[in-house]
Amino acid sequence: MTQLALVIDLNVCVGCHACVTNCKEWNTSGIAGPLVDMNPYGADPTGTFFNRVQTYEAGEFPKTETLHFPKSCLHCEEPPCVPVCPTGASFKRAEDGIVLVDYDKCIGCKYCSWACPYGVREFDEQQKVMKKCTLCVDRIYDASLPEKERKPACVLACPTSARLFGDVHDPESEVSVAIRERGGYQLMPEWGSKPSNHYLPRRKTNIRIHEDELVRADNPLVKEGHLPKPALDEPSFDDVMF
Amino acid sequence: MEYKALQDPSDRIEVKNTTCYMCACRCGIRVTLKNGEVRYIQGNPDHPLNQGVICAKGSSGIMKQYSPARLTKPLLRKQGTERGDAQFEAISWDQAFGIMEERLGRIRAEDPKKFALFTGRDQMQALTGLFARQFGTPNYAAHGGFCSVNMAAGMVYTIGGSFWEFGGPDLDRAKLFVMIGTAEDHHSNPLKIALSKFKRNGGRFISVNPVRTGYSAIADEWVPIKPGTDGALLLAIIHELIAMGLYDREFLVNYTNAAELVNMDDASSEYGMFVRFEVPPEEGCFDAQNKLWWDRELDHPISTHTPGADPYLLGDFKLSDGTPVKPSFQLLKERVEEYTPEWAERITGIPAETIRRLAHEMGVTARDQKIELPIAWTDVWDNEHKTVTGNPVAFHAMRGLAAHSNGFHTIRALSILMSILGTIDRPGGFRHKAPFPRPIPPCAKTPKGPEGVQPNTVLGGMPLGWPADPDDLFVDEAGEPVRIDKAFSWEYPLSVHGLMHNVITNAWRGDPYPIDTLLIFMANMAWNSSMHTDDVRRMLNDKNENGDYKIPFIIVADAFQSEMTAFADLVLPDTTYLERYDVMSILDRPISEFDGPVDSVRIPVVPPLGECKPFQEVLIEMGSRLKLPAFVDKDGKRKYRDYPDFIVNYETEPGSGIGFLSGWRGTAGEKFMRGEPNPRQWEMYAKNDCVYHHELPKSYQYMRNWNQGYLEWARNVRLTRYAEPINIHIYSEVLQKFRLAAQGKSIGKQPPARLKKRIEKFCDPLPFYYEPLEAQLSDLQKYPLNAVTQRPMAMYHSWDSQNAWLRQIHAHNYLMVNPVVGKANGFEDGDWVWVESQWGKVRCMARFTEAVEPGTVWTWNAIGKASGAWGLTPDANESKKGFLLNHVISEELPPHADGEHISNSDPLTGQAAWYDVRVKVYKAADDEPQETSPQYKPMPKFPGMGVAKTIQAFFAGKGEWK
């Protein structure tokens, strides 16, 4: 059974927010739209975004790590948001595992957002319905788009290609290979929600230099050596010995 | 509810290609329109620059297009109101053109330098510069002087190229990448693409920066450094590389002036100059090949590049006439003798051990991980090479090095470091982008004196140029400046991008002279583009005793209601990038790739809003009305119908075949670079993703400073005048010429007495470290902290606070401080604090961070805004919680030995020293208002602006967003 998901490579994410606003511009005019903005030109503007990037620090100076962390609906295999929905608006699709909200059924009770351990549901304050990432369900099956563009908007936009998209149940898919080979992990697996989205951890590259790589026979300084050489007219033993 | 794409057969869907302008990166974009409204902006997958990706800014273009802050009508300041009050009445374009024609026509007939044209990050300097030159005013520059001119000048005067548009790190092949002082806006998507590939390929990434944000976050190692001390670090690394013999000897000998012999006879007028064996056969802006090496085998001097010769890089020698000489590398070695890692540790805060290790990593990687590409090429000395060699250590640096008053020498040191590692225009190192490499320095020159400025006459030179010696300075007989910003004067001799940050202050003071009209195009000089903003706003509104403004007339062209527009007498509403034709011209700063020249265009995807008119069209119209020679025929009749017509048909001189665009020239589009105008050129660009990319043969893609094939190709297509080698200036004779003038040892122009010491000190042919000038003139006990700004990736300078989506990412900024600073000064995370320098103070909110070295505080640049500006409500976060650091930075240094009004800039290039300021931070009193200080009277809405909604649900295609 197919389970579509995102795999996000924290090793290359620079926190640029391309995925955040490209998601917004695609989805606000798509089937999940509009994505409202409250007070867009005033104090404390706040709007509906399906995808957000948070930046964290870890460690103390100078051993500080700065981590950019994009987060959207993780399309859990056991989504806690679904069983709590009193109207059946929140559901998981059998054919591809995408978790969706049917706005026509949603009554805006917010049970689902309380149940979601990851805080990725976004309430639309104008329409009073719950919204969230759809994995761009209106792009990925759209036969009018070129095949390589049938991907979520965030994946296409990402300048560092930090976002992979595919079927995590297909062991040969790009995403499964990345999870397997790169130590892909889930967020808070202890909740038992089995999130489908995975994250790839940071990796460090170091250089080790051996002593004998520094001091070598072909050191160019050798060529600059001037052995002391007396002037021709300086006295010598040879002049006075017989 | 249906989960399929919304398709309604009656919808009109159009897809058009153009070029982004949400920052200066210039990515190719594909814009989908639904019923005439912008539905989706995506990266163009077929564009060489961004290869389909797009950033946060580019993805938010829709909110720029439909922002209520858009200006839509020409505006005239209401009679009886003050500048800054922003009380305007709408006028027609006819009236606006009439006002400008009358005023500028009179100025041009009387004294053209009284018209000053300064522009922001406009990407059309080839046109704005042409207009200024044709008008006859020397008072033109773009934003480079307050941006990163040190980076351009420091590198161009050393290796004949620089970063960003001029060249960059080859991360496809590099193994080690060192990024120093780089903000996230330079370069945007191409650097992100390259950096992620580099990381995936297992490259090692080191970031040297006082702050760990953005790109630095994914570095394998973060090396925190104190601001303004990068020069000390780089010189210490050079020290270690030379001491260990970890330099590329062969590269230095063949491709730099390291082995060339310098005259060391201090009694001679040739002291410090290279010894030459004959007068060059032809004089021109290239390095004549008439210098000497000291051959190791023959033990005597020999003409450089003599086949079989092997010169010493170190040592001291005597010519047969007794003249003492040394190879310039010996002088470099002597220079860096004192710059030990231990010395640098005390200055930079980086442990000596780390500095040594960095040097070893660079040196060993460059030497032991060499790349040999099977690409045959021939050098200018006719040596045939079977391969191209690469030493895979790459660097990138930008404003963090540049925006200090010691930046020029720091960047010279960086260029020299890159050169001694043998990485210039080689795989895995630094690579040029056309039109670079250019001669050191390039050929373009300004007029040399006031005679170059005459009524009703084209300027007698370029408005900006590259001085090669003191005689190229643009000064009067007393050695004093001709330009309003004092560029190309003895105060800032290599100010190749001008000093826009001093224009308003100088014009207000009438020093060197008062002007009449100041035209500002898309630069926010009444806010984030000026230092000491509060003062500048006062100057813009200041009057003489007779009640006239000290700067009599101010015209501002902009697309949005910015702080600067409030101070205009006349506002010209510009279009957005989606509404106009534009070119990223080879005459300006094209978007070339490492593999060859690339230029591109914008083609409108939607019609202009209201009465918006592209500034390009304003210039063509004004050029025609004022009968500037380039814009009219010999009978004085208008030559070009409009901007697109101008772009196709303009040639730099009649029949030159050189115009703004290099692609599809020739009558049928069969030529490139040079060729007759092609009436269908726009159409051909439109068909080809709005971009022209000329890929050079592989054998021309590397070693271009010395690559015979490339240099001859470049000469033949007229990118360059000469096909002579561009040897790297480890030792800068150009600077030595200025020093000799200051010492009275040369004939020709001499500095005024007050500047002799300054010129002698700073015009050093080898890089040296000095503490930034402002720090030398500050009480560092009182103001112990450095304060700098960083550029967020989701907001380009002040360009997008009017953008409903982007401002949700950066609505206000904090002062970011290490917790130890808070502890020492008695404030907590989130407290309101004062940040104060010797120039002024700002109240803001502090945020603790471990990702900053404790001697530095920082904030995001240009997020804070004046109340009511950018179409925002007066209580918007930008003005109530956001703040501008500029208030505590001065555009001038305190009076000192060099003068009373010396710019707070690099003494060589005039680069604004934004990052030199020293501050203290302390808690605001509990009874103070919890808002940013200073506050300004809210700006009103201008006539013609849109409605700012309180709830906005954008959905394209329903006819609500036209």
Side-chain angles (χ1 to χ4, degrees), chain B residues 12-21 28-42 61-62 65-66 70 575-582 601-609 682 686 689-690 962:
Chain B
R12 189 162 47 88
I13 304 290
E14 299 162 273
V15 179
K16 299 178 181 179
N17 290 321
T18 186
T19 301
C20 188
Y21 199 176
I29 51 172
R30 186 161 284 174
V31 182
T32 302
L33 301 169
K34 187 172 172 184
N35 302 326
E37 293 173 355
V38 185
R39 157 73 179 90
Y40 190 48
I41 301 174
Q42 65 189 119
I62 295 173
Q65 181 64 25
Y66 299 121
R70 292 280 310 268
T575 60
T576 67
Y577 67 109
L578 297 176
E579 298 169 343
R580 69 169 174 228
Y581 289 93
D582 223 340
V601 302
R602 290 193 182 96
I603 296 179
V605 298
V606 287
L609 178 68
W682 282 104
D689 295 297
C690 291
K962 288 237 163 67

Side-chain angles (χ1 to χ4, degrees), chain A residues 25 28 39-40 44 57 213, chain B residues 41 367 807 849 877 950 954:
Chain A
E25 71 154 345
T28 195
N39 230 9
D44 302 327
E57 287 177 9
E213 288 171 324
Chain B
I41 301 174
R367 186 195 60 196
R807 72 177 287 261
T849 166
N877 301 43
T950 51
F954 180 80

Side-chain angles (χ1 to χ4, degrees), chain A residues 223-224 226, chain B residues 249 252-253 256-264 272-275 292-296 304 310-319 323-335 730-731 766:
Chain A
K223 285 198 163 183
E224 310 300 346
H226 298 273
Chain B
R249 187 177 199 282
L252 284 171
V253 166
T256 79
N257 64 16
E260 292 175 5
L261 300 176
V262 179
N263 185 325
M264 299 309 297
M273 300 290 285
F274 288 112
V275 177
L292 298 175
W293 289 343
W294 196 280
D295 189 69
R296 290 172 64 237
T304 64
D310 183 14
Y312 279 113
L313 279 176
L314 297 174
D316 58 306
F317 310 95
K318 263 200 170 67
L319 298 181
T323 308
V325 293
K326 286 179 182 176
S328 71
F329 196 64
Q330 170 69 31
L331 297 175
L332 177 67
K333 179 173 180 278
E334 291 170 15
R335 169 56 52 87
I730 300 287
Y731 182 89
L766 288 166

Side-chain angles (χ1 to χ4, degrees), chain B residues 881-939:
Chain B
K881 293 178 175 174
F883 73 101
L884 197 61
L885 193 66
N886 305 46
H887 292 298
V888 306
I889 304 172
S890 172
E891 78 279 31
E892 293 181 347
L893 290 168
H896 65 291
D898 295 343
E900 227 182 308
H901 298 299
I902 293 285
S903 176
N904 178 18
S905 293
D906 187 290
L908 289 142
T909 62
Q911 151 99 48
W914 294 103
Y915 297 166
D916 282 357
V917 73
R918 293 305 197 103
V919 301
K920 63 178 174 182
V921 183
Y922 52 92
K923 195 172 185 323
D926 291 340
D927 57 354
E928 287 183 37
Q930 304 224 322
E931 64 176 19
T932 302
S933 171
Q935 285 289 323
Y936 296 95
K937 196 170 82 182
M939 271 171 70

Side-chain angles (χ1 to χ4, degrees), chain B residues 71-79 86-96 99 569-573 611 941-945:
Chain B
L71 302 173
T72 62
K73 297 168 193 272
L75 301 170
L76 191 65
R77 184 169 54 85
K78 277 188 187 158
Q79 290 282 333
Q87 295 296 323
F88 294 105
E89 57 186 334
I91 59 169
S92 70
W93 272 106
D94 260 355
Q95 286 171 286
I99 292 168
D569 299 303
L570 177 62
V571 178
L572 309 174
E611 290 166 48
K941 202 170 141 179
F942 298 0
M945 280 172 60

